[in-house]
Amino acid sequence: MSSTMTITETAIADAYRIVPKQYPDRRGRFHEAFRADALSEVIGYPFVVGQANYSTSCKNTVRGIHGTALPPGQAKLVTCVRGAVMDVVVDLRVGSPTYGMYDVTHQDEDSGIAVYLADGLGHAFIALTDNACMNYLCSEEYVPGTMLEINPMDPDVGIPWPLTGPAIMSDKDGGAVSLKQAEADGLLPTYDECVAHYAALKAGRPPRLTAK
């Protein structure tokens, strides 16, 4: 484990909270936001960055719940680099002990706290400030048609969004299906598929899954 950050599993298995050690001085401060060796040691397989994204959101913007179908999958390391957000991991793996459950992490530009989400987990957040900027390090490049969208206001998931006004969402997110509907439609990965996927990554083999 790196001495420059603490990595702990959240209430959702295979999602990890990363808290960096801050080094302040008269100039400001410094911290290591990500170490491939430290994260890979904890998750048990290499986390290789295939794509980096940024989003900027005004206050009360809700983005998510977003996941990626298996294959190809897309693990993510998400960090708030400006402003503040309430970040949420949702277990989308049908058959998982925590299927449909969520875990909350408050992130802001000062703490440098990040969250890692393995394949099969969904991600969402609400911007608590204007001009909130999120950085996403993704294990795979985006493949059109593989995104999973679950309505962030789904009452069965029950995320307690701290809105101070009307939620601002994309038409796609606002019109997304419920978790139950996504499961009924066969859109979600199963827990067994994800476990096999993680095992293949740990063994250094490319996952062998059949596209749905």
Side-chain angles (χ1 to χ4, degrees), residues 108-179:
D108 61 59
E109 61 186 72
D110 292 323
S111 70
I113 292 173
V115 173
Y116 171 81
L117 304 87
D119 292 305
L121 302 178
H123 178 249
F125 72 88
I126 179 173
L128 303 177
T129 61
D130 283 326
N131 209 27
C133 183
M134 291 289 282
N135 169 240
Y136 314 72
L137 299 182
C138 305
S139 64
E140 301 287 343
E141 296 179 4
Y142 167 69
V143 178
T146 63
M147 290 292 294
L148 302 175
E149 289 99 11
I150 307 299
N151 196 306
M153 302 303 173
D154 184 350
D156 288 331
V157 179
I159 300 171
W161 299 113
L163 291 161
T164 59
I168 302 169
M169 295 186 287
S170 68
D171 292 341
K172 182 178 289 188
D173 286 349
V177 298
S178 67
L179 186 67

Side-chain angles (χ1 to χ4, degrees), residues 10 16-20 22 29 31 33 76-89 103-117 123-129 132-137:
T10 70
Y16 294 86
R17 188 173 295 111
I18 302 168
V19 181
Q22 300 279 355
R29 64 180 184 274
H31 69 266
K76 299 174 183 175
L77 179 68
V78 294
T79 314
C80 180
V81 295
R82 185 175 62 236
V85 306
M86 186 185 87
D87 194 75
V88 185
V89 178
D103 187 86
V104 169
T105 300
H106 287 273
Q107 298 191 37
D108 61 59
E109 61 186 72
D110 292 323
S111 70
I113 292 173
V115 173
Y116 171 81
L117 304 87
H123 178 249
F125 72 88
I126 179 173
L128 303 177
T129 61
C133 183
M134 291 289 282
N135 169 240
Y136 314 72
L137 299 182

Side-chain angles (χ1 to χ4, degrees), residues 47-83:
F47 176 61
V48 179
V49 178
Q51 180 171 324
N53 305 325
Y54 288 89
S55 68
T56 301
S57 305
C58 56
K59 186 176 181 179
N60 289 319
T61 291
V62 176
R63 293 182 185 260
I65 305 167
H66 297 154
T68 308
L70 280 177
Q74 190 184 61
K76 299 174 183 175
L77 179 68
V78 294
T79 314
C80 180
V81 295
R82 185 175 62 236

Side-chain angles (χ1 to χ4, degrees), residues 83-103:
V85 306
M86 186 185 87
D87 194 75
V88 185
V89 178
V90 182
D91 195 340
L92 304 181
R93 304 169 296 185
V94 178
S96 165
T98 53
Y99 172 64
M101 297 176 63
Y102 65 86
D103 187 86

